[in-house]
Amino acid sequence: LVFYFITLGFKEKNLVNDTDNGVAVNIDSNHVEEGNTDNIVHEDDVSSDNKVVKEKSVTVSYNGENINMAIDDYVLGVVACEVPALFDDEALKAMSVVARTFYLYKDSKSSSYVANNNDQCFNGESAMHEKWGTNYQKYYEIIKKAVDETAGEFITYNGELAQTFYFSLSNGKTENLENVFSEKRPYL
């Protein structure tokens, strides 16, 4: 389901639109328009147990070192690595929310979690420079804008962080979660 935001396109700022399964999440209103499924929320809307602080420190294993950074600096590096900077603004926002949620979910399951490229692809500043060359500043600002506009937003299901899955390459089809990971989530 999470991948659909790339393949379906966007209308009226919907991040995810899968009406066959009753899912329509809208970034503007922060509420589910149909069904009782994932919801993008701001940190103030979640209990203190799941509260996210925008200045949350993330530890990421990168180039053989553990580096601490603010969560949105990490999200920017993930979005820069996972999707092209010239994707539609709404796709970049969706990826920002999904990447942030992915990290928060993993972090909530382990007190010693260290983000790494086995979970989400991450580009540091030097990798972005190398990847984008003379377009570095332009592409950096595009992605930073998407990350900033979704700061503090993440996806929940029934008040808990959702486990978000996505992939950057596809043959145009997806598979049910239980057929790939031998588990089922009602929102996927």
Side-chain angles (χ1 to χ4, degrees):
L1 174 67
V2 172
F3 179 69
Y4 291 176
F5 74 84
I6 294 172
T7 61
L8 291 178
F10 299 90
K11 293 183 178 161
E12 298 177 11
K13 295 194 176 221
N14 281 334
L15 290 179
V16 178
N17 190 354
D18 181 6
T19 53
D20 291 340
N21 292 316
V23 178
V25 180
N26 184 295
I27 196 167
D28 286 340
S29 59
N30 292 326
H31 72 280
V32 174
E33 294 178 355
E34 298 178 34
N36 183 18
T37 57
D38 294 40
N39 193 1
I40 296 175
V41 297
H42 289 279
E43 59 190 58
D44 296 336
D45 297 333
V46 179
S47 71
S48 60
D49 292 340
N50 290 335
K51 193 163 183 121
V52 175
V53 178
K54 289 179 187 171
E55 291 82 25
K56 179 176 180 52
S57 180
V58 172
T59 302
V60 60
S61 176
Y62 184 68
N63 290 337
E65 296 180 53
N66 283 352
I67 303 167
N68 290 319
M69 63 185 66
I71 189 167
D72 282 347
D73 291 338
Y74 173 70
V75 170
L76 191 150
V78 171
V79 175
C81 192
E82 294 283 6
V83 296
L86 293 178
F87 265 17
D88 184 83
D89 291 347
E90 296 303 316
L92 295 173
K93 288 179 190 177
M95 187 66 220
S96 298
V97 173
V98 169
R100 187 178 298 107
T101 305
F102 186 97
Y103 171 80
L104 292 169
Y105 179 86
K106 296 284 270 189
D107 186 60
S108 74
K109 299 301 178 190
S110 170
S111 61
S112 60
Y113 176 68
V114 175
N116 61 73
N117 277 337
N118 292 328
D119 287 335
Q120 296 191 102
C121 179
F122 171 83
N123 278 344
E125 194 169 320
S126 62
M128 288 182 231
H129 273 285
E130 185 177 322
K131 178 178 179 179
W132 297 329
T134 59
N135 289 317
Y136 168 80
Q137 194 61 43
K138 173 184 175 185
Y139 292 168
Y140 180 90
E141 291 302 323
I142 289 170
I143 292 175
K144 183 168 179 15
K145 181 177 184 258
V147 172
D148 289 349
E149 288 181 5
T150 63
E153 294 179 352
F154 49 92
I155 303 168
T156 64
Y157 178 77
N158 288 338
E160 300 293 326
L161 286 166
Q163 186 174 15
T164 54
F165 296 92
Y166 64 90
F167 46 90
S168 53
L169 296 173
S170 167
N171 65 357
K173 299 184 186 274
T174 59
E175 184 61 74
N176 290 335
L177 178 70
E178 61 269 20
N179 295 336
V180 178
F181 293 106
S182 301
E183 60 184 283
K184 190 172 182 163
R185 298 278 189 270
Y187 51 86
L188 294 177

